[in-house]
């Protein structure tokens, strides 16, 4: 578990099925499997099958959904359930991404329900946590991150906690070109690691960093032992560029 290194591409609202197929055709031959490295893709829902199909035969390539609803089914126009994304080949889903929290109003209580539904359905929640700029400036980073972790995870049994990935994404660093310094990010990862221990985790749950990660800063961030991978938006959209970042895995395994 401890040597897992997770490269997660969050495509947000980019790359429909055709673009996803073309991306994977170009990306996969440039990204040889590396020991311990997991390559996760979070495409828009309709592109999930294209990514899943392209990744067949590659145990390291996994697809996930960008969002799910917690209910198993029902009259929820525009939403997708865990069972539906699992049927489309997803093996995990993002939960509580800052755009969901701050653009679409997703609450801590909703992240808890989504995490529970994913665990119940056998999928891995990628729980995103992170403070806003004003919260960092007020010295509240730790309190915010701990609140978000507890709200989503405090009644999750240990055996399920281990089927979880955490992403620390300071809101002020997402899509802004501003990145947390490796040391600042590692300090927050340390706080998260301690809180996961208090919540009952006994083995190493991967904690990823996200927020303006690119080819120029990824190696430095991954060089911190507290940082077990990256969740990347903008710099994951270009197949050659993303292959370059993923190719850094061999420096850290
Ligand atoms: P970014 O996005 O890499 O474009 O900053 C990261 C994310 O939102 O997960």
């Amino acid at each position: 578990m401890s040597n897992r290194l997770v490269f997660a591409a969050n495509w947000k609202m980019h790359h429909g099925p055709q673009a996803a197929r073309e991306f994977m055709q170009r990306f996969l031959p440039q990204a040889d499997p590396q020991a311990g490295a997991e390559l996760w893709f979070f495409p828009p829902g309709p592109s999930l099958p294209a990514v899943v199909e392209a990744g067949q035969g590659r145990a390291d390539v996994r697809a996930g959904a960008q969002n799910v609803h917690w209910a198993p089914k029902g009259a929820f126009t525009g939403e997708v359930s865990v069972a539906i994304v699992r049927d489309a080949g997803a093996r995990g889903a993002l939960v509580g991404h800052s755009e969901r929290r701050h653009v679409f109003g997703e609450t801590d209580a909703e992240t808890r329900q989504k995490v529970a539904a994913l665990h119940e359905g056998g999928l891995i929640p990628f729980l995103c946590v992170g403070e806003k700029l004003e919260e960092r400036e007020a010295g509240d980073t730790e309190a915010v991150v701990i609140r978000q972790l507890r709200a989503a995870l405090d009644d999750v049994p240990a055996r399920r906690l281990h089927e979880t990935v955490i992403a620390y994404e300071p809101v002020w660093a997402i899509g802004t070109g501003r990145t947390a310094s490796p040391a600042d990010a590692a300090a927050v990862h340390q706080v998260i690691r301690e809180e996961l221990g208090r919540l009952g985790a006994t083995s190493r749950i991967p904690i990823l960093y996200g927020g303006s990660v690119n080819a120029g800063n990824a190696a430095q961030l991954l060089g911190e032992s507290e940082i077990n991978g990256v969740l990347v938006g903008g710099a994951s959209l270009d197949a050659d560029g993303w292959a370059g970042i993923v190719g850094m895995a061999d420096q850290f395994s």
Side-chain angles (χ1 to χ4, degrees):
M1 197 99 177
S2 59
N3 63 354
R4 285 169 70 186
L5 189 57
V6 179
F7 291 86
N10 174 12
W11 284 352
K12 307 191 181 184
M13 206 163 71
H14 302 277
H15 292 344
Q18 183 57 27
R21 267 188 294 276
E22 285 166 14
F23 179 107
M24 296 305 278
Q25 254 166 30
R26 193 167 170 100
F27 168 80
L28 286 173
Q30 299 184 63
D32 289 335
Q34 311 264 2
E38 298 172 19
L39 311 184
W40 283 83
F41 290 89
F42 295 89
S47 304
L48 261 172
V51 172
V52 171
E53 213 170 286
Q56 265 161 14
R58 284 281 300 255
D60 58 329
V61 173
R62 293 154 206 207
Q66 293 178 12
N67 186 31
V68 287
H69 193 276
W70 55 86
K73 60 172 114 169
F76 299 106
T77 300
E79 297 290 327
V80 288
S81 67
V82 172
I84 289 171
V85 299
R86 190 179 52 216
D87 194 22
R91 295 170 66 182
L94 303 180
V95 176
H97 186 277
S98 84
E99 287 146 23
R100 299 300 320 167
R101 291 181 191 266
H102 303 301
V103 181
F104 299 103
E106 186 166 320
T107 63
D108 283 345
E110 289 169 349
T111 64
R112 181 191 201 90
Q113 289 176 282
K114 291 179 182 192
V115 165
L118 286 160
H119 280 146
E120 189 60 41
L123 265 62
I124 297 182
F126 280 58
L127 175 67
C128 306
V129 297
E131 81 287 1
K132 294 191 273 190
L133 185 58
E134 60 266 30
E135 292 166 333
R136 170 159 284 253
E137 285 171 347
D140 291 339
T141 298
E142 286 190 19
V144 169
V145 162
I146 288 174
R147 188 202 80 222
Q148 292 173 335
L149 287 170
R150 284 190 190 155
L153 300 176
D154 73 357
D155 59 358
V156 173
R159 74 192 147 78
R160 285 196 167 158
L161 207 47
H162 297 127
E163 299 300 320
T164 307
V165 173
I166 308 296
Y168 169 55
E169 298 205 303
V171 178
W172 47 270
I174 297 177
T176 59
R178 284 182 69 182
T179 323
S181 72
D184 281 351
V188 180
H189 280 225
Q190 181 67 39
V191 168
I192 294 171
R193 177 73 59 210
E194 283 162 16
E195 186 57 29
L196 290 173
R198 280 191 287 273
L199 288 165
T202 51
S203 66
R204 263 178 104 72
I205 293 172
I207 305 175
L208 321 184
Y209 172 79
S212 296
V213 174
N214 58 40
N217 58 27
Q220 251 190 319
L221 288 158
L222 290 167
E224 295 285 340
S225 61
E226 285 297 329
I227 298 180
N228 314 126
V230 284
L231 176 57
V232 183
S236 74
L237 291 175
D238 172 67
D240 298 350
W242 185 231
I245 293 175
V246 162
M248 294 174 189
D250 64 354
Q251 298 171 42
F252 302 100
S253 52

